[in-house]
Structures are given as C-alpha cells and as structure tokens.
Amino acid sequence: MTPIPLTSVPNLRDVGGYRTADGAKVRTGVFYRSTDLSRVADTDMPALDGLGIRMVYDLRTADERAAAPDILPNGARAVALDVLADKGIRSIPAQMLQVIADPMIAERELGGGRAIEYFEGSYRDFVEMPSAVSSYRELFGGLATNGNTPALVHCTTGKDRTGWATAALLLLLGVGEDDVFHDYLLTNELLLPAFAGVFEKFVDAGGDPALLEPVLGVREQYLQVSLAAMREQYGTIERYFSDGLGLDAAVQTLLRERMIAD
C-alpha cells in the first residue's frame, strides 16, 4: 500500500504491495482507490496523469455524480456504477455531506447510535442489494478485462463502497485478513485530517463532534458486517464472486493474473 500525497484527492493510494498467503505480491501500479475526483487541483493533475489510469470506476449515486462531477486524468474513461441505487434517499453513505452540514439534522439522523446502524446496514447491502451486486460484478469483471488497468475506484470519500470493493478484491487475491483490515482502516489516517475544517465548523455551529466520527471515518465493525454477510450466504470469497457476482473461476483466475506478481 502506497499513499499518494495529493492534497486535493485525499485517501488516494495504490493498493498493491500486500503479500498473499502463498508469498506472492499484489502488483503495484494496477489498482488505485481514492475519494471522488471533483476537486483535483491543477497542481495535482500532473501527478494524477502520471499514474496512467485507463478506467475510473465511480461507485457514487447519480445525484452525487451530478453535484460533484469527476475531473478525469488524461486518457481515462469513466464507468458509473451506482452501488446504492436500490437504497434510495435513506442512504447515509450517499448523503453524508448534506447530513453533517447542519448539527440539528445530524442529531436527528445520526444521534442515539443511528449512524452506526445506518452504516452496518449499508455494509450488509454491499453484499446483498441487487444494485450493489450488479455494480461490483461490473467492476471486477472490468478489472479482469484486457486494457482496463491501471484502474481507479472511488465513491465520495473512498471509504465505504470503495472499502468493500478493495477488501473483497484483496481477499480474493489471497491477502490475509489482517492486511485487509489494515488497508481498510488506513482511511482514518489518510482521510480524517482532510475533514478537520468540517469538524471545526460543526462544533462552532453547536454540534457534537462525536456524531461525526462514525460517519467520516471507518470502523472495523463495519467491514465485519460485510464479511459476515458474505460468509453467511456464500461461505468463501471465491463463492461470493462465483455465486453472488456471477464471476466464475475463469474470471477469478484472470483477476489474479492481472493483480498478482510472481
């Protein structure tokens, strides 16, 4: 895992570098994850262009994409995959920035443990909901296809929808669960500092910062919900890909060939 320090694209990193169970290594320069690309500064664009990204998989809702369109790196093509399409307007991951703009709304929507309930429900949806299944099927099928890498995957903050995408891929590649959680939890180091101004403004408006922590960061228990749902329904990550996403052993082999160095 290599963070790429672009101030206008926090939480941008190369997911490669992790060891698999058989001692191989996930390739670098193939799979990147980040926040959305709506605020890429001119000074950061050369570094982003230098990654050679061919595909940008955007996991946001249509409303999110319309409100903050991506600024694509040169030569990249965008693929819109609305993971939460079937969830509707009650999706906190998709609406979080609007919710936290007003402490009164935040208290109503997130107080009393509701934020954690929302996120745990969403992480279950990432495995079970039809729009999530179709989106992740297209994402991983695309990554297995010639000419579609290097690729970048993102949602709005690059932590939840993107977090499950990355965790599922790393598990399929044979990366140990400890490293998968390490990668997932790195968001708290790489993203939360970018929200310092949001926390300050929220507190100045009379809000309790404790309300924001489970929304703007990630928690191990969130990813555990996705893993539990995956195992309950499919047993193994390979069967999640084959029986859940419809990506058979041949596609899984192609993914490993694309993503794993000898």
Side-chain angles (χ1 to χ4, degrees):
M1 184 289 310
T2 305
I4 300 168
L6 303 188
T7 55
S8 60
V9 191
N11 212 16
L12 171 61
R13 47 191 140 133
D14 186 332
V15 179
Y18 291 109
R19 288 286 181 185
T20 64
D22 59 4
K25 184 179 285 189
V26 179
R27 294 182 191 275
T28 58
V30 176
F31 182 85
Y32 298 90
R33 57 178 293 183
S34 73
T35 60
D36 70 57
L37 302 179
S38 65
R39 298 172 297 276
V40 184
D42 290 344
T43 52
D44 283 338
M45 188 55 78
L48 188 62
D49 286 342
L51 300 178
I53 292 166
R54 296 181 179 180
M55 302 292 287
V56 174
Y57 293 95
D58 186 341
L59 308 184
R60 297 178 296 170
T61 65
D63 286 346
E64 287 175 291
R65 296 194 304 273
D70 276 346
I71 302 170
L72 294 175
N74 286 332
R77 183 165 69 89
V79 178
L81 301 174
D82 189 344
V83 169
L84 297 174
D86 293 336
K87 186 104 170 179
I89 60 173
R90 295 298 297 169
S91 169
I92 290 295
Q95 304 294 327
M96 72 172 79
L97 298 183
Q98 294 94 317
V99 170
I100 65 175
D102 185 322
M104 291 184 64
I105 296 175
E107 176 61 40
R108 184 184 71 228
E109 296 290 334
L110 307 176
R114 285 186 290 275
I116 294 173
E117 292 176 7
Y118 278 130
F119 276 91
E120 289 182 344
S122 291
Y123 274 74
R124 189 172 299 108
D125 289 337
F126 297 159
V127 176
E128 300 174 353
M129 193 163 59
S131 59
V133 170
S134 62
S135 295
Y136 290 124
R137 177 190 300 123
E138 186 168 348
L139 165 63
F140 295 125
L143 292 175
T145 302
N146 268 330
N148 284 356
T149 55
L152 182 144
V153 179
H154 76 80
C155 44
T156 292
T157 52
K159 68 186 187 70
D160 302 308
R161 290 161 284 186
T162 301
W164 172 242
T166 305
L169 178 62
L170 289 175
L171 288 169
L172 181 73
L173 299 179
V175 174
E177 202 165 293
D178 286 348
D179 283 336
V180 171
F181 273 95
H182 169 77
D183 184 83
Y184 174 73
L185 293 170
L186 274 174
T187 284
N188 290 332
E189 296 178 27
L190 300 177
L191 180 66
L192 283 179
F195 283 121
V198 174
F199 276 93
E200 183 177 346
K201 184 176 180 180
F202 191 76
V203 171
D204 288 346
D208 179 358
L211 281 177
L212 300 189
E213 291 167 4
V215 177
L216 297 179
V218 293
R219 294 188 173 193
E220 184 172 326
Q221 71 196 79
Y222 296 163
L223 184 55
Q224 289 285 13
V225 169
S226 293
L227 292 175
M230 180 270 290
R231 288 173 176 142
E232 179 181 341
Q233 293 194 47
Y234 305 109
T236 66
I237 191 67
E238 290 82 9
R239 285 192 58 198
Y240 164 67
F241 273 75
S242 61
D243 299 353
L245 301 182
L247 301 173
D248 62 18
V251 177
Q252 295 177 38
T253 296
L254 285 173
L255 270 171
R256 293 187 181 100
E257 289 174 352
R258 298 263 187 277
M259 299 288 172
I260 296 176
D262 294 333

